[in-house]
Amino acid sequence: MSRGVLSVSHLQSLPLAAVLMGFLVFPILVILVVSFWDYDSFLLIPDFILTNYQDLLTSPVTWKAYLNTFQYAFLTWLITFGLGFTIAYYLAFHIRSTKAQTVLFLLCTIPFFTSNIIRMISWIPLLGRNGLVNQGLQGMGLIDEPLTFLLYSDFSIVLAYVHLYTLFMVTPIFNTMMRIDRRLIEAARDAGAKPWQILLHIVLPLSKSGILIGSIFVITMVMGDFVTVRLMGGGLRASVGVIIFNEISLLQYPAAAASAIVLLLTVLIMLTVLFKLVDIRKEL
């Protein structure tokens, strides 16, 4: 009987497995195969060479791009975690009304009513050399010359990432916090625990699954992004996504495929480390 149940469950999973194979696994396999091909200015040459990976891994430009990407990912994760945890904690534990929680949470989603490009472009008239921020600071006499680091810099790139992805940290942490049994907090208060002790020893450990899910969202999106770096960096900053975009623009598809495979492996290693830190199945 167990064999029959097992076979039926396998049959039920076949449609989803077929979809994953067709739209996820197969394209990755194609990219992997192409990454070993040769190419010239006009043609793709089916072959098996390691030149694409050798050029990629020995190039100082690649290492600098990965360093920039890791920097963006870490800073974005750190800031979005601080903001996301604070916002989620406030909504979950300081707003008693369910309606008020819903309204405030919907307010957080308002930026998503427009596209990412529009939201990024909206920073340019604010942060530019003659933007509103510099004009305001100069008008108040706080600065004599415009601040040039506000736009087309690492600062503006990270700022745009935080603006774009904070909600992806808020939502899973908020959902996790809402499942915390409030009796645990009441018991801790009755036992004389201080607010910071409750936060550190109860709320934070029980929110690990939400933090992990939010971290996965933020890190994977930053690692693979190129639009934000190109737009907010003014073409003066590089990332792994920008390198892949440039290679595709130059029709260097095997080199771009090799870069994509290395990026995929890098992200998978980072996710593996995260899953080692938090047992998501146990937490959920």
Side-chain angles (χ1 to χ4, degrees), residues 71-90:
Q71 177 184 337
Y72 298 149
F74 175 74
L75 291 176
T76 303
W77 173 84
L78 186 64
I79 298 172
T80 54
F81 169 67
L83 292 174
F85 190 89
T86 303
I87 294 172
Y89 181 82
Y90 178 78

Side-chain angles (χ1 to χ4, degrees), residues 3-4 17 34-35 44 48 54 68 84 111 116 130 167 172 176 220 240:
R3 292 182 179 178
V34 173
S35 69
L44 296 180
F48 186 83
Q54 291 174 351
N68 288 341
N116 289 358
N130 297 317
L167 186 63
T176 305
T220 54
V240 181

Side-chain angles (χ1 to χ4, degrees), residues 207-224:
S207 302
K208 287 191 297 185
S209 60
I211 296 172
L212 175 62
I213 295 172
S215 300
I216 292 173
F217 281 139
V218 172
I219 291 174
T220 54
M221 287 188 291
V222 172
M223 290 293 293

Side-chain angles (χ1 to χ4, degrees), residues 22 32 46 49 51-52 60 62 86 91 97 106 113 122 165 181 186 212 224 234 276:
L32 178 62
I49 59 174
T51 306
N52 297 321
T62 300
T86 303
L91 292 177
S97 172
L106 289 176
F113 293 169
S122 66
Y165 301 139
D181 191 344
E186 294 297 332
L212 175 62
K276 289 293 184 180

Side-chain angles (χ1 to χ4, degrees), residues 59-70 236 238-240 243:
S59 171
V61 176
T62 300
W63 289 104
K64 184 176 181 180
Y66 266 94
L67 182 61
N68 288 341
T69 305
F70 287 138
L236 304 176
S239 70
V240 181
I243 288 179

